[in-house]
Structure formats: C-alpha cells, structure tokens
Amino acid sequence: ALSDTSCFELIQRFRVPERSRLHWVEVAFGVNPYPQYYDPLIAIVDADGASTPPVALPPSLVEGLYAHFVTSPFWGSHYDFDHLITLEPGHDYWLLARVEKRYFLYSRVLTGGESADFKASIGPSFRRTTAGGAWIAEPGRALSFRLIGEPLGGHGLPRGRHGLPRGKQSEPR
C-alpha cells in the first residue's frame, strides 16, 4: 500500500533482535504523481516504551537526509549519518520518515499471518498531516523499511561466500 500526499510524516515503532550498530536505513519509495526535488528526512527516535508517539517528539538519536527525484518505485537510502548509534535488543524505537506531503512511501498491509519474529519486532504505524499535528493510527499497516547494520552480539560478520573453498571467487558452473 502507498501513503499519499496528505502525509507530512510517517512513524513506525520497531525493535531489533540483538545489539546492533546502525549504518543506514532504506525505505520503499513510490512514484509521486507530481515529482519534485526535495530532501526528505529519516530519523531514529527513542520510543521510551510508548505505544503511541508523542505529538512533540524528543530529539532524534540519529538522522539523515535523502536526495531523490523519484521517477520509479525503489528502495532508497539516505546520505551518511553524522554518527553511528547502537540499537539495543528489546528496546522500542521509532523510525520517522518526514516526507512533507511530497513523496509516497510503501507500507506492508498486514494479513495476520506474519511470523512471530515480525510480530515481536514491528509495532504500530502512524502518520500525521502537519508538522506538530496529532498522530493518526494506521492499523493493519507497517512501513516498508530495512535497517542495515552490524550485529554486536558476539557473532562476527560473515566473510566471503559460504560453502566455497578459500580463494574461490565464483560458483562452479
């Protein structure tokens, strides 16, 4: 499902399964019927255990600008964060996407058949139509996003291709 140009901001509660250093975030952009150049913002905000976002959000933990002229649906990433943050397991965060009525973002329509991991990690989704306006619940939807980072739980990052002998550069034909 797509948001529409009535959205000033979208926000999604989430948590991570293990301690992780966040490197970047990707959101699923849809085509705006009136394309215009604008730098939308993505931010991570501490949810502090709240089930609904406060009207006045606390300062973000980290944020980054996107710079896209959207002409087709795609996964879009932002410019570098000014610093990296560590996300803690079992802690709730808000992913804030400020589109200022200029971009569509995709959301997943929930079916009830989502996995236990999905249900444990993805909370409610909201939108608002003005800066500082009231949040409007988006029941049955979850913002389409990907967090890309580095797990810090003692499991090293995989190196090379799995199942290939060392030094081998490609799959056998």
Side-chain angles (χ1 to χ4, degrees):
L2 276 172
S3 63
D4 59 38
T5 54
S6 73
C7 293
F8 185 84
E9 292 176 321
L10 298 107
I11 198 164
Q12 174 71 57
R13 196 177 77 201
F14 73 94
R15 58 175 58 171
V16 295
E18 72 176 272
R19 192 167 197 254
S20 305
R21 181 171 293 118
L22 179 65
H23 290 276
W24 73 87
V25 178
E26 294 177 345
V27 293
F29 281 91
V31 177
N32 186 331
Y34 310 105
Q36 46 191 308
Y37 185 82
Y38 168 69
D39 293 333
L41 173 95
I42 198 79
I44 303 293
V45 178
D46 188 347
D48 199 25
S51 59
T52 60
V55 172
L57 292 172
S60 63
L61 301 172
V62 69
E63 59 186 52
L65 293 174
Y66 289 75
H68 296 293
F69 186 81
V70 180
T71 59
S72 64
F74 72 104
W75 284 99
S77 184
H78 50 82
Y79 290 119
D80 287 343
F81 289 138
D82 60 351
H83 66 282
L84 299 180
I85 61 170
T86 298
L87 301 174
E88 299 293 337
H91 187 88
D92 291 328
Y93 299 94
W94 294 110
L95 173 64
L96 173 71
R98 182 173 302 136
V99 294
E100 294 190 15
K101 302 183 179 189
R102 294 183 171 111
Y103 284 99
F104 291 155
L105 295 181
Y106 279 101
S107 291
R108 176 181 177 167
V109 176
L110 305 178
T111 65
E114 289 75 23
S115 71
D117 287 339
F118 183 91
K119 291 176 183 177
S121 300
I122 302 298
S125 180
F126 299 84
R127 67 179 170 88
R128 63 177 162 191
T129 58
T130 60
W135 291 102
I136 302 162
E138 295 272 270
R141 291 174 81 164
L143 188 63
S144 293
F145 70 98
R146 300 190 283 209
L147 302 174
I148 293 82
E150 174 184 357
L152 301 175
H155 307 291
L157 291 175
R159 302 284 183 228
R161 294 176 179 223
H162 296 289
L164 293 175
R166 288 184 161 217
K168 198 90 160 164
Q169 296 300 311
S170 62
E171 297 283 342
R173 293 182 186 225

